Amino acid sequence: MANYLQTGSFTGLMTQIVGVPSADSYILQGTLTLPTVQSGSPASSQAVVTIKQNASTIYTGSAGANGFRVSILAAALDVISIQVSSSNPVDQGLNVIRTSYAIWEGQD
């Protein structure tokens, strides 16, 4: 399947599942909108993105990073999960973190 592209977004600390249609190389790229420092608050986001392919971790980002990019060699119907997690209270609020992503066929 040529020219495959899927985009999406989600808010909060959660896991988004994406399936790929065919065996090929894929690029998964995304950005995070993180909470900003408010007056008098020294806390900064500690959100971490973890990418899994069929439940096996293939990428773990740095805490507080505002983006990710990973190359994936996938089989047909592989399941890719994008997990955003954090134990920092500044990241726990409803809709505090927004993640946008795109996955497409191709290579780096």
Side-chain angles (χ1 to χ4, degrees):
M1 177 178 271
N3 301 316
Y4 175 80
L5 169 66
Q6 181 176 342
T7 62
S9 64
F10 57 95
T11 57
L13 301 173
M14 64 171 289
T15 301
Q16 180 72 35
I17 304 296
V18 179
V20 295
S22 59
D24 206 343
S25 297
Y26 293 85
I27 304 294
L28 173 62
Q29 180 172 310
T31 58
L32 281 75
T33 303
L34 301 171
T36 56
V37 176
Q38 299 173 3
S39 60
S41 176
S44 61
S45 176
Q46 293 297 305
V48 173
V49 173
T50 304
I51 308 297
K52 295 183 179 185
Q53 180 178 4
N54 298 327
S56 296
T57 300
I58 59 172
Y59 172 86
T60 302
S62 301
N66 62 357
F68 59 91
R69 181 180 175 104
V70 62
S71 297
I72 302 169
L73 184 56
L77 306 177
D78 272 2
V79 175
I80 310 300
S81 63
I82 307 163
Q83 179 183 24
V84 180
S85 60
S86 175
S87 59
N88 189 335
V90 74
D91 296 324
Q92 300 298 317
L94 185 62
N95 299 331
V96 171
I97 296 174
R98 180 176 176 84
T99 306
S100 298
Y101 67 89
I103 185 169
W104 65 91
E105 284 181 300
Q107 301 179 38
D108 270 336

PDB file of all heavy atoms in Angstrom, residues 41-78:
ATOM      1  N   SER A  41       5.664  28.836  40.159  1.00  0.00           N
ATOM      2  CA  SER A  41       5.745  27.385  40.083  1.00  0.00           C
ATOM      3  C   SER A  41       7.026  26.960  39.372  1.00  0.00           C
ATOM      4  O   SER A  41       7.168  27.194  38.171  1.00  0.00           O
ATOM      5  CB  SER A  41       4.533  26.833  39.327  1.00  0.00           C
ATOM      6  OG  SER A  41       4.673  25.441  39.171  1.00  0.00           O
ATOM      7  N   PRO A  42       7.966  26.341  40.081  1.00  0.00           N
ATOM      8  CA  PRO A  42       9.214  25.927  39.452  1.00  0.00           C
ATOM      9  C   PRO A  42       9.117  24.598  38.709  1.00  0.00           C
ATOM     10  O   PRO A  42      10.052  24.192  38.054  1.00  0.00           O
ATOM     11  CB  PRO A  42      10.164  25.798  40.640  1.00  0.00           C
ATOM     12  CG  PRO A  42       9.274  25.389  41.757  1.00  0.00           C
ATOM     13  CD  PRO A  42       7.949  26.090  41.499  1.00  0.00           C
ATOM     14  N   ALA A  43       7.984  23.916  38.834  1.00  0.00           N
ATOM     15  CA  ALA A  43       7.856  22.579  38.242  1.00  0.00           C
ATOM     16  C   ALA A  43       7.832  22.639  36.724  1.00  0.00           C
ATOM     17  O   ALA A  43       7.283  23.560  36.127  1.00  0.00           O
ATOM     18  CB  ALA A  43       6.581  21.913  38.753  1.00  0.00           C
ATOM     19  N   SER A  44       8.430  21.645  36.095  1.00  0.00           N
ATOM     20  CA  SER A  44       8.360  21.519  34.648  1.00  0.00           C
ATOM     21  C   SER A  44       7.894  20.108  34.317  1.00  0.00           C
ATOM     22  O   SER A  44       7.995  19.188  35.125  1.00  0.00           O
ATOM     23  CB  SER A  44       9.720  21.804  34.013  1.00  0.00           C
ATOM     24  OG  SER A  44      10.682  20.884  34.478  1.00  0.00           O
ATOM     25  N   SER A  45       7.407  19.936  33.119  1.00  0.00           N
ATOM     26  CA  SER A  45       6.850  18.653  32.703  1.00  0.00           C
ATOM     27  C   SER A  45       7.913  17.561  32.731  1.00  0.00           C
ATOM     28  O   SER A  45       9.073  17.779  32.387  1.00  0.00           O
ATOM     29  CB  SER A  45       6.280  18.768  31.299  1.00  0.00           C
ATOM     30  OG  SER A  45       5.823  17.506  30.864  1.00  0.00           O
ATOM     31  N   GLN A  46       7.495  16.381  33.130  1.00  0.00           N
ATOM     32  CA  GLN A  46       8.347  15.194  33.102  1.00  0.00           C
ATOM     33  C   GLN A  46       7.705  14.104  32.242  1.00  0.00           C
ATOM     34  O   GLN A  46       7.985  12.915  32.428  1.00  0.00           O
ATOM     35  CB  GLN A  46       8.586  14.684  34.526  1.00  0.00           C
ATOM     36  CG  GLN A  46       9.407  15.624  35.372  1.00  0.00           C
ATOM     37  CD  GLN A  46      10.807  15.811  34.803  1.00  0.00           C
ATOM     38  OE1 GLN A  46      11.530  14.860  34.583  1.00  0.00           O
ATOM     39  NE2 GLN A  46      11.167  17.048  34.537  1.00  0.00           N
ATOM     40  N   ALA A  47       6.851  14.515  31.304  1.00  0.00           N
ATOM     41  CA  ALA A  47       6.178  13.552  30.437  1.00  0.00           C
ATOM     42  C   ALA A  47       7.192  12.767  29.608  1.00  0.00           C
ATOM     43  O   ALA A  47       8.168  13.326  29.106  1.00  0.00           O
ATOM     44  CB  ALA A  47       5.199  14.273  29.513  1.00  0.00           C
ATOM     45  N   VAL A  48       6.944  11.470  29.497  1.00  0.00           N
ATOM     46  CA  VAL A  48       7.808  10.568  28.734  1.00  0.00           C
ATOM     47  C   VAL A  48       6.954   9.856  27.688  1.00  0.00           C
ATOM     48  O   VAL A  48       5.886   9.352  27.996  1.00  0.00           O
ATOM     49  CB  VAL A  48       8.476   9.525  29.652  1.00  0.00           C
ATOM     50  CG1 VAL A  48       9.249   8.488  28.843  1.00  0.00           C
ATOM     51  CG2 VAL A  48       9.386  10.197  30.665  1.00  0.00           C
ATOM     52  N   VAL A  49       7.451   9.812  26.456  1.00  0.00           N
ATOM     53  CA  VAL A  49       6.784   9.078  25.385  1.00  0.00           C
ATOM     54  C   VAL A  49       7.474   7.731  25.215  1.00  0.00           C
ATOM     55  O   VAL A  49       8.697   7.656  25.100  1.00  0.00           O
ATOM     56  CB  VAL A  49       6.831   9.860  24.058  1.00  0.00           C
ATOM     57  CG1 VAL A  49       6.288   9.021  22.909  1.00  0.00           C
ATOM     58  CG2 VAL A  49       6.068  11.158  24.175  1.00  0.00           C
ATOM     59  N   THR A  50       6.672   6.677  25.212  1.00  0.00           N
ATOM     60  CA  THR A  50       7.173   5.327  24.959  1.00  0.00           C
ATOM     61  C   THR A  50       6.427   4.769  23.749  1.00  0.00           C
ATOM     62  O   THR A  50       5.201   4.803  23.716  1.00  0.00           O
ATOM     63  CB  THR A  50       6.937   4.410  26.170  1.00  0.00           C
ATOM     64  OG1 THR A  50       7.553   4.999  27.324  1.00  0.00           O
ATOM     65  CG2 THR A  50       7.511   3.024  25.940  1.00  0.00           C
ATOM     66  N   ILE A  51       7.190   4.307  22.756  1.00  0.00           N
ATOM     67  CA  ILE A  51       6.604   3.720  21.550  1.00  0.00           C
ATOM     68  C   ILE A  51       6.826   2.212  21.620  1.00  0.00           C
ATOM     69  O   ILE A  51       7.946   1.747  21.868  1.00  0.00           O
ATOM     70  CB  ILE A  51       7.262   4.275  20.267  1.00  0.00           C
ATOM     71  CG1 ILE A  51       7.261   5.806  20.248  1.00  0.00           C
ATOM     72  CG2 ILE A  51       6.600   3.679  19.020  1.00  0.00           C
ATOM     73  CD1 ILE A  51       5.913   6.436  20.222  1.00  0.00           C
ATOM     74  N   LYS A  52       5.743   1.458  21.398  1.00  0.00           N
ATOM     75  CA  LYS A  52       5.827   0.001  21.386  1.00  0.00           C
ATOM     76  C   LYS A  52       5.315  -0.535  20.057  1.00  0.00           C
ATOM     77  O   LYS A  52       4.391   0.028  19.476  1.00  0.00           O
ATOM     78  CB  LYS A  52       5.012  -0.598  22.530  1.00  0.00           C
ATOM     79  CG  LYS A  52       5.564  -0.233  23.898  1.00  0.00           C
ATOM     80  CD  LYS A  52       4.787  -0.886  24.998  1.00  0.00           C
ATOM     81  CE  LYS A  52       5.392  -0.509  26.348  1.00  0.00           C
ATOM     82  NZ  LYS A  52       4.739  -1.208  27.451  1.00  0.00           N
ATOM     83  N   GLN A  53       5.947  -1.605  19.617  1.00  0.00           N
ATOM     84  CA  GLN A  53       5.514  -2.323  18.419  1.00  0.00           C
ATOM     85  C   GLN A  53       5.130  -3.722  18.864  1.00  0.00           C
ATOM     86  O   GLN A  53       5.978  -4.468  19.364  1.00  0.00           O
ATOM     87  CB  GLN A  53       6.645  -2.360  17.386  1.00  0.00           C
ATOM     88  CG  GLN A  53       6.291  -3.080  16.113  1.00  0.00           C
ATOM     89  CD  GLN A  53       7.440  -3.032  15.113  1.00  0.00           C
ATOM     90  OE1 GLN A  53       8.524  -2.523  15.375  1.00  0.00           O
ATOM     91  NE2 GLN A  53       7.190  -3.592  13.940  1.00  0.00           N
ATOM     92  N   ASN A  54       3.852  -4.062  18.732  1.00  0.00           N
ATOM     93  CA  ASN A  54       3.350  -5.357  19.188  1.00  0.00           C
ATOM     94  C   ASN A  54       3.773  -5.635  20.636  1.00  0.00           C
ATOM     95  O   ASN A  54       4.245  -6.705  20.964  1.00  0.00           O
ATOM     96  CB  ASN A  54       3.811  -6.484  18.274  1.00  0.00           C
ATOM     97  CG  ASN A  54       3.292  -6.319  16.870  1.00  0.00           C
ATOM     98  OD1 ASN A  54       2.201  -5.805  16.658  1.00  0.00           O
ATOM     99  ND2 ASN A  54       4.066  -6.732  15.889  1.00  0.00           N
ATOM    100  N   ALA A  55       3.621  -4.641  21.495  1.00  0.00           N
ATOM    101  CA  ALA A  55       3.884  -4.714  22.944  1.00  0.00           C
ATOM    102  C   ALA A  55       5.365  -4.713  23.328  1.00  0.00           C
ATOM    103  O   ALA A  55       5.682  -4.766  24.505  1.00  0.00           O
ATOM    104  CB  ALA A  55       3.173  -5.896  23.570  1.00  0.00           C
ATOM    105  N   SER A  56       6.278  -4.625  22.373  1.00  0.00           N
ATOM    106  CA  SER A  56       7.708  -4.540  22.676  1.00  0.00           C
ATOM    107  C   SER A  56       8.176  -3.095  22.526  1.00  0.00           C
ATOM    108  O   SER A  56       7.941  -2.475  21.473  1.00  0.00           O
ATOM    109  CB  SER A  56       8.527  -5.421  21.734  1.00  0.00           C
ATOM    110  OG  SER A  56       8.189  -6.776  21.918  1.00  0.00           O
ATOM    111  N   THR A  57       8.831  -2.569  23.539  1.00  0.00           N
ATOM    112  CA  THR A  57       9.289  -1.180  23.500  1.00  0.00           C
ATOM    113  C   THR A  57      10.377  -1.009  22.451  1.00  0.00           C
ATOM    114  O   THR A  57      11.375  -1.733  22.450  1.00  0.00           O
ATOM    115  CB  THR A  57       9.823  -0.746  24.885  1.00  0.00           C
ATOM    116  OG1 THR A  57       8.761  -0.870  25.841  1.00  0.00           O
ATOM    117  CG2 THR A  57      10.317   0.682  24.861  1.00  0.00           C
ATOM    118  N   ILE A  58      10.180  -0.020  21.559  1.00  0.00           N
ATOM    119  CA  ILE A  58      11.182   0.279  20.533  1.00  0.00           C
ATOM    120  C   ILE A  58      11.740   1.688  20.681  1.00  0.00           C
ATOM    121  O   ILE A  58      12.718   2.041  20.023  1.00  0.00           O
ATOM    122  CB  ILE A  58      10.619   0.075  19.112  1.00  0.00           C
ATOM    123  CG1 ILE A  58       9.404   0.964  18.866  1.00  0.00           C
ATOM    124  CG2 ILE A  58      10.291  -1.391  18.873  1.00  0.00           C
ATOM    125  CD1 ILE A  58       8.919   0.967  17.419  1.00  0.00           C
ATOM    126  N   TYR A  59      11.131   2.517  21.546  1.00  0.00           N
ATOM    127  CA  TYR A  59      11.606   3.887  21.747  1.00  0.00           C
ATOM    128  C   TYR A  59      11.108   4.403  23.089  1.00  0.00           C
ATOM    129  O   TYR A  59       9.942   4.200  23.444  1.00  0.00           O
ATOM    130  CB  TYR A  59      11.076   4.798  20.632  1.00  0.00           C
ATOM    131  CG  TYR A  59      11.348   6.264  20.841  1.00  0.00           C
ATOM    132  CD1 TYR A  59      12.538   6.836  20.428  1.00  0.00           C
ATOM    133  CD2 TYR A  59      10.400   7.078  21.469  1.00  0.00           C
ATOM    134  CE1 TYR A  59      12.782   8.196  20.630  1.00  0.00           C
ATOM    135  CE2 TYR A  59      10.644   8.426  21.672  1.00  0.00           C
ATOM    136  CZ  TYR A  59      11.832   8.974  21.251  1.00  0.00           C
ATOM    137  OH  TYR A  59      12.080  10.314  21.458  1.00  0.00           O
ATOM    138  N   THR A  60      11.992   5.045  23.835  1.00  0.00           N
ATOM    139  CA  THR A  60      11.619   5.765  25.046  1.00  0.00           C
ATOM    140  C   THR A  60      12.267   7.132  24.983  1.00  0.00           C
ATOM    141  O   THR A  60      13.501   7.234  24.860  1.00  0.00           O
ATOM    142  CB  THR A  60      12.083   5.017  26.317  1.00  0.00           C
ATOM    143  OG1 THR A  60      11.509   3.708  26.316  1.00  0.00           O
ATOM    144  CG2 THR A  60      11.651   5.757  27.571  1.00  0.00           C
ATOM    145  N   GLY A  61      11.457   8.178  25.032  1.00  0.00           N
ATOM    146  CA  GLY A  61      11.963   9.533  24.943  1.00  0.00           C
ATOM    147  C   GLY A  61      12.500  10.044  26.264  1.00  0.00           C
ATOM    148  O   GLY A  61      12.378   9.398  27.306  1.00  0.00           O
ATOM    149  N   SER A  62      13.078  11.207  26.224  1.00  0.00           N
ATOM    150  CA  SER A  62      13.574  11.884  27.419  1.00  0.00           C
ATOM    151  C   SER A  62      12.423  12.562  28.139  1.00  0.00           C
ATOM    152  O   SER A  62      11.492  13.066  27.501  1.00  0.00           O
ATOM    153  CB  SER A  62      14.613  12.937  27.040  1.00  0.00           C
ATOM    154  OG  SER A  62      15.691  12.343  26.368  1.00  0.00           O
ATOM    155  N   ALA A  63      12.502  12.616  29.462  1.00  0.00           N
ATOM    156  CA  ALA A  63      11.468  13.290  30.248  1.00  0.00           C
ATOM    157  C   ALA A  63      11.415  14.767  29.882  1.00  0.00           C
ATOM    158  O   ALA A  63      12.441  15.436  29.823  1.00  0.00           O
ATOM    159  CB  ALA A  63      11.764  13.129  31.736  1.00  0.00           C
ATOM    160  N   GLY A  64      10.217  15.244  29.598  1.00  0.00           N
ATOM    161  CA  GLY A  64      10.012  16.644  29.268  1.00  0.00           C
ATOM    162  C   GLY A  64      10.287  17.023  27.822  1.00  0.00           C
ATOM    163  O   GLY A  64      10.152  18.182  27.440  1.00  0.00           O
ATOM    164  N   ALA A  65      10.659  16.056  26.984  1.00  0.00           N
ATOM    165  CA  ALA A  65      10.906  16.351  25.565  1.00  0.00           C
ATOM    166  C   ALA A  65       9.584  16.702  24.895  1.00  0.00           C
ATOM    167  O   ALA A  65       8.543  16.143  25.217  1.00  0.00           O
ATOM    168  CB  ALA A  65      11.549  15.152  24.877  1.00  0.00           C
ATOM    169  N   ASN A  66       9.647  17.626  23.943  1.00  0.00           N
ATOM    170  CA  ASN A  66       8.406  18.065  23.296  1.00  0.00           C
ATOM    171  C   ASN A  66       8.189  17.446  21.921  1.00  0.00           C
ATOM    172  O   ASN A  66       7.379  17.933  21.144  1.00  0.00           O
ATOM    173  CB  ASN A  66       8.340  19.585  23.220  1.00  0.00           C
ATOM    174  CG  ASN A  66       9.467  20.161  22.398  1.00  0.00           C
ATOM    175  OD1 ASN A  66      10.328  19.431  21.929  1.00  0.00           O
ATOM    176  ND2 ASN A  66       9.473  21.468  22.244  1.00  0.00           N
ATOM    177  N   GLY A  67       8.904  16.344  21.637  1.00  0.00           N
ATOM    178  CA  GLY A  67       8.689  15.681  20.361  1.00  0.00           C
ATOM    179  C   GLY A  67       9.390  14.334  20.300  1.00  0.00           C
ATOM    180  O   GLY A  67      10.175  13.986  21.179  1.00  0.00           O
ATOM    181  N   PHE A  68       9.083  13.579  19.248  1.00  0.00           N
ATOM    182  CA  PHE A  68       9.699  12.269  19.036  1.00  0.00           C
ATOM    183  C   PHE A  68       9.662  11.940  17.557  1.00  0.00           C
ATOM    184  O   PHE A  68       8.849  12.462  16.795  1.00  0.00           O
ATOM    185  CB  PHE A  68       8.987  11.179  19.850  1.00  0.00           C
ATOM    186  CG  PHE A  68       7.518  11.028  19.542  1.00  0.00           C
ATOM    187  CD1 PHE A  68       7.075  10.146  18.575  1.00  0.00           C
ATOM    188  CD2 PHE A  68       6.578  11.789  20.228  1.00  0.00           C
ATOM    189  CE1 PHE A  68       5.722  10.007  18.293  1.00  0.00           C
ATOM    190  CE2 PHE A  68       5.226  11.657  19.968  1.00  0.00           C
ATOM    191  CZ  PHE A  68       4.797  10.764  18.986  1.00  0.00           C
ATOM    192  N   ARG A  69      10.592  11.066  17.159  1.00  0.00           N
ATOM    193  CA  ARG A  69      10.634  10.554  15.789  1.00  0.00           C
ATOM    194  C   ARG A  69      11.313   9.199  15.841  1.00  0.00           C
ATOM    195  O   ARG A  69      12.390   9.056  16.429  1.00  0.00           O
ATOM    196  CB  ARG A  69      11.402  11.504  14.876  1.00  0.00           C
ATOM    197  CG  ARG A  69      11.457  11.031  13.423  1.00  0.00           C
ATOM    198  CD  ARG A  69      12.229  12.023  12.565  1.00  0.00           C
ATOM    199  NE  ARG A  69      12.407  11.558  11.227  1.00  0.00           N
ATOM    200  CZ  ARG A  69      11.717  11.992  10.176  1.00  0.00           C
ATOM    201  NH1 ARG A  69      10.795  12.918  10.331  1.00  0.00           N
ATOM    202  NH2 ARG A  69      11.954  11.518   8.976  1.00  0.00           N
ATOM    203  N   VAL A  70      10.682   8.205  15.228  1.00  0.00           N
ATOM    204  CA  VAL A  70      11.231   6.861  15.249  1.00  0.00           C
ATOM    205  C   VAL A  70      10.953   6.172  13.915  1.00  0.00           C
ATOM    206  O   VAL A  70       9.900   6.363  13.314  1.00  0.00           O
ATOM    207  CB  VAL A  70      10.653   6.049  16.442  1.00  0.00           C
ATOM    208  CG1 VAL A  70       9.171   5.891  16.333  1.00  0.00           C
ATOM    209  CG2 VAL A  70      11.328   4.717  16.590  1.00  0.00           C
ATOM    210  N   SER A  71      11.936   5.400  13.448  1.00  0.00           N
ATOM    211  CA  SER A  71      11.772   4.566  12.253  1.00  0.00           C
ATOM    212  C   SER A  71      11.323   3.190  12.696  1.00  0.00           C
ATOM    213  O   SER A  71      11.841   2.647  13.680  1.00  0.00           O
ATOM    214  CB  SER A  71      13.096   4.449  11.501  1.00  0.00           C
ATOM    215  OG  SER A  71      13.518   5.700  11.040  1.00  0.00           O
ATOM    216  N   ILE A  72      10.378   2.619  11.964  1.00  0.00           N
ATOM    217  CA  ILE A  72       9.805   1.327  12.331  1.00  0.00           C
ATOM    218  C   ILE A  72       9.802   0.427  11.104  1.00  0.00           C
ATOM    219  O   ILE A  72       9.314   0.819  10.047  1.00  0.00           O
ATOM    220  CB  ILE A  72       8.357   1.505  12.836  1.00  0.00           C
ATOM    221  CG1 ILE A  72       8.323   2.441  14.033  1.00  0.00           C
ATOM    222  CG2 ILE A  72       7.732   0.157  13.156  1.00  0.00           C
ATOM    223  CD1 ILE A  72       6.923   2.887  14.421  1.00  0.00           C
ATOM    224  N   LEU A  73      10.345  -0.768  11.256  1.00  0.00           N
ATOM    225  CA  LEU A  73      10.239  -1.789  10.222  1.00  0.00           C
ATOM    226  C   LEU A  73       9.120  -2.711  10.670  1.00  0.00           C
ATOM    227  O   LEU A  73       9.246  -3.427  11.664  1.00  0.00           O
ATOM    228  CB  LEU A  73      11.553  -2.559  10.068  1.00  0.00           C
ATOM    229  CG  LEU A  73      11.594  -3.597   8.958  1.00  0.00           C
ATOM    230  CD1 LEU A  73      11.262  -2.972   7.601  1.00  0.00           C
ATOM    231  CD2 LEU A  73      12.950  -4.262   8.910  1.00  0.00           C
ATOM    232  N   ALA A  74       8.008  -2.675   9.970  1.00  0.00           N
ATOM    233  CA  ALA A  74       6.793  -3.350  10.436  1.00  0.00           C
ATOM    234  C   ALA A  74       6.349  -4.452   9.483  1.00  0.00           C
ATOM    235  O   ALA A  74       6.585  -4.385   8.277  1.00  0.00           O
ATOM    236  CB  ALA A  74       5.667  -2.329  10.591  1.00  0.00           C
ATOM    237  N   ALA A  75       5.677  -5.430  10.058  1.00  0.00           N
ATOM    238  CA  ALA A  75       4.985  -6.458   9.286  1.00  0.00           C
ATOM    239  C   ALA A  75       3.543  -6.002   9.087  1.00  0.00           C
ATOM    240  O   ALA A  75       3.064  -5.093   9.774  1.00  0.00           O
ATOM    241  CB  ALA A  75       5.023  -7.787  10.037  1.00  0.00           C
ATOM    242  N   ALA A  76       2.857  -6.617   8.176  1.00  0.00           N
ATOM    243  CA  ALA A  76       1.456  -6.269   7.934  1.00  0.00           C
ATOM    244  C   ALA A  76       0.655  -6.431   9.220  1.00  0.00           C
ATOM    245  O   ALA A  76       0.823  -7.411   9.950  1.00  0.00           O
ATOM    246  CB  ALA A  76       0.875  -7.156   6.835  1.00  0.00           C
ATOM    247  N   LEU A  77      -0.176  -5.453   9.503  1.00  0.00           N
ATOM    248  CA  LEU A  77      -1.097  -5.434  10.637  1.00  0.00           C
ATOM    249  C   LEU A  77      -0.410  -5.334  12.001  1.00  0.00           C
ATOM    250  O   LEU A  77      -1.026  -5.609  13.025  1.00  0.00           O
ATOM    251  CB  LEU A  77      -2.040  -6.633  10.606  1.00  0.00           C
ATOM    252  CG  LEU A  77      -2.826  -6.803   9.300  1.00  0.00           C
ATOM    253  CD1 LEU A  77      -3.669  -8.062   9.363  1.00  0.00           C
ATOM    254  CD2 LEU A  77      -3.657  -5.588   8.981  1.00  0.00           C
ATOM    255  N   ASP A  78       0.854  -4.903  12.038  1.00  0.00           N
ATOM    256  CA  ASP A  78       1.497  -4.646  13.322  1.00  0.00           C
ATOM    257  C   ASP A  78       0.750  -3.550  14.063  1.00  0.00           C
ATOM    258  O   ASP A  78       0.133  -2.668  13.451  1.00  0.00           O
ATOM    259  CB  ASP A  78       2.956  -4.205  13.139  1.00  0.00           C
ATOM    260  CG  ASP A  78       3.923  -5.374  13.075  1.00  0.00           C
ATOM    261  OD1 ASP A  78       3.470  -6.530  13.135  1.00  0.00           O
ATOM    262  OD2 ASP A  78       5.139  -5.124  12.967  1.00  0.00           O
TER     263      ASP A  78
END
